Amino acid sequence: MKIVLASASLRRQELLRQMGCAFEVLPSTVQEDNTLKLPTDELVVAHAKAKAMDVAGRSLDGTLVIGADTLVVLNGQVFGKPRSQIEAKDMLNALSGQEHKVVTGLAVIQCSSGHSWTDFSITQVKFGHLSQEEIDRYVASGEPMDKAGAYGIQEKGALFVESIHGCYFNVVGLPIYKLAKILKKAGVFLP
């Protein structure tokens, strides 16, 4: 069965390879709308499903399409990817010394039947206190600009993380345990 990842995220691609999954990449053109008045878990699932459906509409029968969306939530405020260095600094200042949630939605669509499976994962992440100098240096590195919440736990952003409770891979952007369970339901059994 052919599997397509509806994301250009190198981190998600790396995690799928780690799972032993053979796949192709066909990025979705869907733009996330974080202003929708939905609970965060429903919002990320809606985004993931919209991305998967977009790509499924361009794929052949017999294909499974994987969509995912990750957001950071602090006290009810949703942080997507920063649109500027100023926004990245604002996000990191807000997260400094705080515990926040990382929420990832998953959607898998079987093109031949239109059947879909969805799930989400939530991980609690606690940041240590960050100095303005640390934030400025990190933002100047460019690393936070394509990441929800303006940090990557698998890169230099790990220096800010005091603790996590939940799935580490969810914070990277793809909760692989939950994805493997969905793929199994769709008939894909990974090693």
Side-chain angles (χ1 to χ4, degrees):
M1 184 176 307
K2 180 178 171 183
I3 297 174
V4 172
L5 176 63
S7 172
S9 166
L10 296 177
R11 293 164 298 283
R12 288 187 178 128
Q13 293 172 39
E14 189 175 306
L15 290 175
L16 271 179
R17 279 191 287 279
Q18 181 179 330
M19 291 172 67
C21 188
F23 64 96
E24 295 178 15
V25 174
L26 184 56
S28 167
T29 58
V30 169
Q31 295 296 311
E32 299 99 348
D33 182 359
N34 296 335
T35 65
L36 295 173
K37 300 297 180 200
L38 293 171
T40 311
D41 58 329
E42 292 178 27
L43 181 62
V44 293
V45 167
H47 287 163
K49 193 167 185 179
K51 292 174 184 180
M53 288 177 68
D54 172 53
V55 172
R58 297 182 266 147
S59 299
L60 300 173
D61 281 353
T63 301
L64 275 181
V65 179
I66 300 169
D69 185 53
T70 302
L71 293 173
V72 168
V73 183
L74 174 67
N75 301 324
Q77 183 178 5
V78 174
F79 296 157
K81 297 173 186 170
R83 294 175 297 236
S84 68
Q85 287 193 347
I86 292 169
E87 190 174 29
K89 289 178 184 182
D90 289 345
M91 288 181 187
L92 292 166
N93 273 305
L95 295 173
S96 176
Q98 301 294 315
E99 186 172 85
H100 61 275
K101 295 188 294 188
V102 178
V103 187
T104 300
L106 294 171
V108 174
I109 295 179
Q110 190 174 52
C111 293
S112 55
S113 68
H115 192 82
S116 66
W117 298 267
T118 62
D119 205 347
F120 66 92
S121 184
I122 299 174
T123 303
Q124 300 285 345
V125 180
K126 171 91 167 62
F127 264 26
H129 291 278
L130 309 178
S131 70
Q132 195 58 53
E133 184 181 340
E134 288 173 308
I135 291 171
D136 290 346
R137 275 197 314 268
Y138 184 58
V139 171
S141 77
E143 182 177 300
M145 299 314 296
D146 67 339
K147 296 168 182 67
Y151 75 95
I153 194 169
Q154 72 285 0
E155 296 172 330
K156 295 178 193 84
L159 297 171
F160 306 149
V161 177
E162 188 175 306
S163 64
I164 70 167
H165 181 70
C167 176
Y168 166 82
F169 300 106
N170 178 51
V171 184
V172 179
L174 196 67
I176 59 177
Y177 176 80
K178 289 199 172 185
L179 178 57
K181 298 284 246 189
I182 291 174
L183 291 174
K184 192 181 293 184
K185 289 177 187 177
V188 176
F189 300 91
L190 299 172

